[in-house]
Amino acid sequence: MRKTTSYAVIASLFLFSTGCAVHTKPLSTSELMSRVAADRLAMYDGQEAVQAPVTLEEAMARALKYNLDHRIKIMEDALALRQGDAMSYDMLPHLVASAGYSQRDSYNASSSINYKTHEQSLVPSYSSDRDHFTTDLTLSWNILDFGVSYLQAKQQADRAHIMNERRRKVVHTIIQQVRQAYWQALGAQQMEGRFEPLLAEVRKTLNDIECVEGEKLRPPLETLNYRKTLLEILKQLETFRDELQQAKPRLAALMNLPPGQPFNLVVPPGMDVPGLCDNLSAMEEKALLQRPELVEADYNERISATDVRKSILRMLPGIEVNFGGNYDSNSLLVNNSWVEGGARMTWNLLSLLSGPSQYKLAKGQAELVKAQRMALSMAILTQVHIAYQNYQTQVRQYELAGELRDVEKKIYEQTRNAAASGSQSRINEIRSATSTLMAEYRNYQNYAAVQNAYGQVNASLGQDPLPETVGSHELSQLSLAIRNQLDTKCPAPEKFYQRAVCRSSAPATPAVPPLPAGLR
């Protein structure tokens, strides 16, 4: 019998546990397809269509307005502000309203026993109804909790400022990426269609040399070397062509345009090198004042100092004041409603033991934050110097690339003329055309590197691409604000490699003496 009862209990427990298990159905293909369609619509919802060639300012404005990473940072910033607003309510007193109802099957009657004689001194009696309800509204305020909540609200406000500085950092990164991607995409646009004719010519020449090799009209080693040279040229051309095809999709991703959407870029009148307005010492000062990381470190230091004050407050006694009104429906009460108030002081004496340790911990954290800020300042100064040196290097490389492009053009003209006259082989003309095309492409790449280095200098200084206030968030207004902010007329850097002014160094032709009379 006992075994049967035990088995029944075990079976009941098993069935009960099985019944408590929760199972869900896996997502169906239709649900996944619906999610994909909804995400595709949401990613590009509300965006202005590209209707004209895109300028650099418009590309930056589109990235700031539609880029998903920037949207996430804006949402995090707004969430931090809402958390700060929510924590400010913790400073208010507690106002608690409560109501209750009680009922019993018999009266709550009682009697009394004499302490000395142990005899009943009163007949049983009751002082409350069998059922009654109560209500009360109590206002209580703990002064110590108010002080701690006030400091926590200040810390949350500083954290909201930190989120704003992090958003600034994201903006600087996006602007720098857009600047580099824009000029790379513009170079790709300028080189578009230039590779295909040369690729077709190389493929045609390869077919011809294969026919020559098959008919054995030339020595095998000569034709193999010829084919090897053409295949290397073909591989080089296709590599650069593939790089060109990836430039515009990178820019489109930064602007949050749908992949594959065609668009054109505005061709500037010239490829001028942007100049720097400040010397190196002024740039260091600006970086230490404006960099988002340092401003964030300042807020973290202030938060750590507030932690020190909180650790001191927690060691103090707390004073709680309460005031409220009450009501009881008990018919046996003389006063069914009344108002009461009071004050109470509480002090956790154990906090006197743990308080000094908490204080030392908060002080150590504050000193650590200060040391981290000093190290960050040194790192930022190093970044400024590296960005400045990189800018100088890229300007030199761009100048050299321009010189090399001009030389390659002249070599190609000479080689083409020689090939037309029959004094040069066709492969030399193809090799020279490829070198010229590569030199022009590298010239655009080096100019994009100059723009990227210039953007790195601005990012290392913490310069914002937008003013503090913008009149409207319309795309045209954002583009205009960015143009006004970035349109600083700084002198262009001096050329590192000046063209030499050649003067005739040939010796003057000496005067020819007159011939003797007999030899005339």
Side-chain angles (χ1 to χ4, degrees), residues 319-334:
I319 300 176
E320 183 176 351
V321 179
N322 57 76
F323 177 83
N326 300 267
Y327 174 78
D328 193 333
S329 65
N330 186 8
S331 61
L332 300 178
L333 290 177
V334 177

Side-chain angles (χ1 to χ4, degrees), residues 264-385:
N264 293 321
L265 304 176
V266 173
V267 180
M271 298 172 64
D272 299 329
V273 176
L276 302 178
C277 298
D278 301 314
N279 55 26
L280 200 53
S281 60
M283 291 167 61
E284 292 178 355
E285 189 72 19
K286 280 188 176 181
L288 294 177
L289 287 174
Q290 299 177 161
R291 280 293 291 267
E293 298 93 332
L294 281 178
V295 180
E296 178 180 346
D298 291 334
Y299 286 122
N300 281 327
E301 187 175 359
R302 198 158 71 178
I303 290 173
S304 299
T306 305
D307 281 332
V308 175
R309 291 194 289 270
K310 282 167 57 178
S311 65
I312 296 174
L313 275 180
R314 288 193 173 102
M315 290 188 291
L316 299 177
I319 300 176
E320 183 176 351
V321 179
N322 57 76
F323 177 83
N326 300 267
Y327 174 78
D328 193 333
S329 65
N330 186 8
S331 61
L332 300 178
L333 290 177
V334 177
N335 298 311
N336 292 95
S337 60
W338 66 96
V339 177
E340 64 179 357
R344 185 176 61 173
M345 184 179 72
T346 59
W347 195 2
N348 185 6
L349 297 179
L350 292 180
S351 64
L352 297 177
L353 299 177
S354 61
S357 299
Q358 296 295 329
Y359 174 77
K360 292 179 181 179
L361 179 62
K363 286 287 291 184
Q365 181 67 27
E367 293 175 0
L368 175 62
V369 170
K370 185 176 181 179
Q372 289 174 343
R373 179 173 54 81
M374 298 295 291
L376 183 59
S377 299
M378 178 58 69
I380 286 176
L381 290 178
T382 304
Q383 290 177 6
V384 171
H385 279 259

Side-chain angles (χ1 to χ4, degrees), residues 143-434:
I143 299 177
L144 181 60
D145 290 344
F146 165 77
V148 174
S149 299
Y150 173 73
L151 294 179
Q152 288 176 344
K154 289 184 65 176
Q155 288 180 317
Q156 189 60 37
D158 286 338
R159 292 188 183 98
H161 293 312
I162 288 176
M163 296 305 302
N164 185 42
E165 296 302 321
R166 291 180 180 176
R167 185 183 61 83
R168 283 185 59 217
K169 179 63 177 177
V170 172
V171 168
H172 295 168
T173 303
I174 290 176
I175 290 298
Q176 179 183 349
Q177 292 174 350
V178 170
R179 183 187 293 273
Q180 182 183 19
Y182 181 88
W183 291 108
Q184 288 180 346
L186 182 61
Q189 178 177 295
Q190 294 297 95
M191 299 293 295
E192 191 174 356
R194 301 276 298 277
F195 283 84
E196 296 302 330
L198 188 56
L199 281 170
E201 186 67 23
V202 173
R203 293 191 183 100
K204 180 179 180 300
T205 309
L206 269 174
N207 292 332
D208 294 341
I209 198 63
E210 287 178 359
C211 294
V212 171
E213 183 181 5
E215 296 175 1
K216 299 181 179 180
L217 299 177
R218 289 187 178 182
L221 183 59
E222 180 181 351
T223 55
L224 288 175
N225 287 329
Y226 205 95
R227 283 186 61 193
K228 176 185 176 183
T229 302
L230 289 174
L231 288 172
E232 289 176 348
I233 293 174
L234 181 64
K235 179 181 179 182
Q236 187 179 16
L237 287 173
E238 289 186 349
T239 300
F240 280 95
R241 183 198 59 184
D242 295 340
E243 290 182 4
L244 290 176
Q245 292 176 349
Q246 297 173 8
K248 276 193 173 181
R250 292 195 189 100
L251 180 60
L254 291 171
M255 294 190 296
N256 202 45
L257 294 179
Q261 177 178 342
F263 63 93
N264 293 321
L265 304 176
V266 173
V267 180
M271 298 172 64
D272 299 329
V273 176
L276 302 178
C277 298
D278 301 314
N279 55 26
L280 200 53
S281 60
M283 291 167 61
E284 292 178 355
E285 189 72 19
K286 280 188 176 181
L288 294 177
L289 287 174
Q290 299 177 161
R291 280 293 291 267
E293 298 93 332
L294 281 178
V295 180
E296 178 180 346
D298 291 334
Y299 286 122
N300 281 327
E301 187 175 359
R302 198 158 71 178
I303 290 173
S304 299
T306 305
D307 281 332
V308 175
R309 291 194 289 270
K310 282 167 57 178
S311 65
I312 296 174
L313 275 180
R314 288 193 173 102
M315 290 188 291
L316 299 177
I319 300 176
E320 183 176 351
V321 179
N322 57 76
F323 177 83
N326 300 267
Y327 174 78
D328 193 333
S329 65
N330 186 8
S331 61
L332 300 178
L333 290 177
V334 177
N335 298 311
N336 292 95
S337 60
W338 66 96
V339 177
E340 64 179 357
R344 185 176 61 173
M345 184 179 72
T346 59
W347 195 2
N348 185 6
L349 297 179
L350 292 180
S351 64
L352 297 177
L353 299 177
S354 61
S357 299
Q358 296 295 329
Y359 174 77
K360 292 179 181 179
L361 179 62
K363 286 287 291 184
Q365 181 67 27
E367 293 175 0
L368 175 62
V369 170
K370 185 176 181 179
Q372 289 174 343
R373 179 173 54 81
M374 298 295 291
L376 183 59
S377 299
M378 178 58 69
I380 286 176
L381 290 178
T382 304
Q383 290 177 6
V384 171
H385 279 259
I386 292 176
Y388 179 79
Q389 294 298 331
N390 183 49
Y391 168 79
Q392 303 289 338
T393 301
Q394 296 302 331
V395 171
R396 289 196 298 269
Q397 294 296 323
Y398 173 62
E399 292 180 6
L400 287 176
E403 295 286 340
L404 181 61
R405 178 199 56 188
D406 296 339
V407 171
E408 290 286 358
K409 285 184 178 180
K410 293 178 181 179
I411 292 175
Y412 173 64
E413 291 176 1
Q414 298 292 331
T415 307
R416 184 179 58 182
N417 294 333
S421 63
S423 60
Q424 289 281 351
S425 64
R426 180 61 177 160
I427 193 171
N428 289 334
E429 181 183 0
I430 293 176
R431 185 186 290 112
S432 180
T434 302

Side-chain angles (χ1 to χ4, degrees), residues 31-48:
E31 291 175 335
L32 295 176
M33 292 295 293
S34 301
R35 188 261 301 166
V36 170
D39 287 349
R40 282 183 174 274
L41 291 176
M43 282 190 296
Y44 312 111
D45 184 33
Q47 294 188 187
E48 296 184 29

Side-chain angles (χ1 to χ4, degrees), residues 11-171:
S12 301
L13 291 175
F14 176 76
L15 293 175
F16 178 75
S17 61
T18 305
C20 292
V22 178
H23 300 282
T24 60
K25 295 182 180 179
L27 292 173
S28 62
T29 304
S30 60
E31 291 175 335
L32 295 176
M33 292 295 293
S34 301
R35 188 261 301 166
V36 170
D39 287 349
R40 282 183 174 274
L41 291 176
M43 282 190 296
Y44 312 111
D45 184 33
Q47 294 188 187
E48 296 184 29
V50 178
Q51 300 177 350
V54 180
T55 62
L56 176 61
E57 295 81 12
E58 182 182 348
M60 291 180 176
R62 285 183 175 274
L64 293 181
K65 187 173 182 180
Y66 302 131
N67 187 270
L68 297 181
D69 293 334
H70 187 222
R71 288 186 187 179
I72 292 174
K73 287 300 177 183
I74 292 177
M75 294 172 66
E76 291 177 350
D77 193 8
L79 182 60
L81 289 175
R82 292 173 185 172
Q83 289 177 347
D85 294 338
M87 292 192 68
S88 63
Y89 288 103
D90 293 339
M91 295 183 292
L92 298 177
H94 292 176
L95 183 62
V96 180
S98 62
Y101 175 79
S102 64
Q103 184 180 24
R104 49 186 299 146
D105 60 348
S106 60
Y107 287 100
N108 186 18
S110 63
S111 63
S112 299
I113 301 296
N114 190 291
Y115 175 72
K116 293 183 178 181
T117 63
H118 299 287
E119 295 180 356
Q120 183 174 346
S121 59
L122 293 176
V123 297
S125 63
Y126 61 88
S127 59
S128 62
D129 297 331
R130 287 189 302 174
D131 57 335
H132 67 105
F133 65 90
T134 59
T135 59
D136 63 84
L137 182 64
T138 304
L139 179 71
S140 62
W141 191 30
N142 191 305
I143 299 177
L144 181 60
D145 290 344
F146 165 77
V148 174
S149 299
Y150 173 73
L151 294 179
Q152 288 176 344
K154 289 184 65 176
Q155 288 180 317
Q156 189 60 37
D158 286 338
R159 292 188 183 98
H161 293 312
I162 288 176
M163 296 305 302
N164 185 42
E165 296 302 321
R166 291 180 180 176
R167 185 183 61 83
R168 283 185 59 217
K169 179 63 177 177
V170 172
V171 168

